[in-house]
Amino acid sequence: MRRTPLPPDALDETDRKLINRLQDGFPLTSHPFAGIAQEMGLEEADVLTRIANLRELGAITRFGPFIDAAAMGGAFCLCAMEVPEDRFEEVMTLVNAHAEVAHNYERVHRLNMWFVLACDRPEGIDETADRIEAETGLTVLRFPKLKEFFIGFRVTA
Amino acid sequence: MIDETDKRILSATQGGLPLVPAPFAEVAGWLGLQEDEVITRFERMMKDGIVRRIAIAPNHYALGMVANGMSVWDVDDAQAETLGEKVGALEFVSHSYLRPRAEGWPYNLFAMIHGSDRDAVEAHRGEIAAILGEACRARDILYSTRILKKTGMRFRKEG
């Protein structure tokens, strides 16, 4: 994934509007891009070309359906650990070795290691977290989501 | 829940929806289904919350939002849902969740703030504080210094 900003002129105003529009729901119709094009006063082919270009540039990471892991029978859980500075690399290696650890960040806080567990079954969360506690001798705090608020991230159009 | 055909549709579109004028017909063609059936199944899976949305995922870094911080707030439980909705609707917040508190961790509202630099993130944090007002008893922000692991969430074909 691209982690550096694109040049300011890489995207025009229409690209930015399209990025915002495509976070707001997608028509479940035979020709959905034509519907979006009509809403925005564009041609269908232009919309398709622009999305392909945004993907090519790395301005978007993905375009498609987002699946709820919980509805699929799986589970996610944000976890945090307070890792002593002199054990950080050792603990990181132990934590990252678990396939259930989807991503892991070092953060500036007493709780300095934050990772997400992604499991096929809800019981897998505690099983994995317990295993990490046993391996490291450290507590794994568990912060499952109780409620999600999602609207989407906006770019200035 | 979902059946084998749903799983095939989700698996086929995990890499993305095809960028063609009739994407559902294209997916149907890959799987030997009818376009109508693919659309109807997506409608049902969205209604049931299995598919949360069909949308793009913006790359914050590429869009100039190179700084981010995980802001955390201790918000009065009685108002947490209402205020959480307001925070989640802010344009610089990408993800916002209510989570349980823990020993030594009084915070129940998490909001990921994006900005062009650290100062912009701090300014946005002030905007959230203003929205939460007196309902907020404590707050903090955690900046990441290093990505230790990052793997894509994968949808398994075998379900």
Side-chain angles (χ1 to χ4, degrees), chain B residues 60-72:
Chain B
H60 300 109
Y61 296 94
L63 297 170
M65 301 290 111
V66 293
N68 63 73
M70 185 175 78
S71 71
V72 293

Side-chain angles (χ1 to χ4, degrees), chain A residues 28-49:
Chain A
L28 289 171
T29 58
S30 180
H31 289 73
F33 297 105
I36 286 172
Q38 197 181 7
E39 257 178 57
M40 298 182 63
L42 301 170
E43 295 295 322
E44 179 188 51
D46 189 23
V47 168
L48 286 165
T49 309

Side-chain angles (χ1 to χ4, degrees), chain A residues 89-149:
Chain A
E89 300 297 315
E90 172 215 340
V91 172
M92 176 188 87
T93 305
L94 289 169
V95 169
N96 286 355
H98 292 267
E100 293 85 354
V101 175
H103 35 83
N104 189 359
Y105 286 85
E106 181 181 22
R107 294 189 182 277
V108 187
H109 192 271
R110 176 178 59 81
L111 296 172
N112 51 357
M113 189 181 286
W114 289 77
F115 53 91
V116 171
L117 292 178
C119 298
D120 300 335
R121 305 164 296 121
E123 312 85 90
I125 299 291
D126 276 335
E127 289 168 10
T128 308
D130 289 348
R131 213 170 295 141
I132 292 172
E133 287 189 338
E135 289 168 3
T136 61
L138 300 171
T139 302
V140 176
L141 293 179
R142 297 151 210 199
F143 300 106
K145 75 173 177 194
L146 303 176
K147 170 108 188 158
E148 178 174 11
F149 307 108

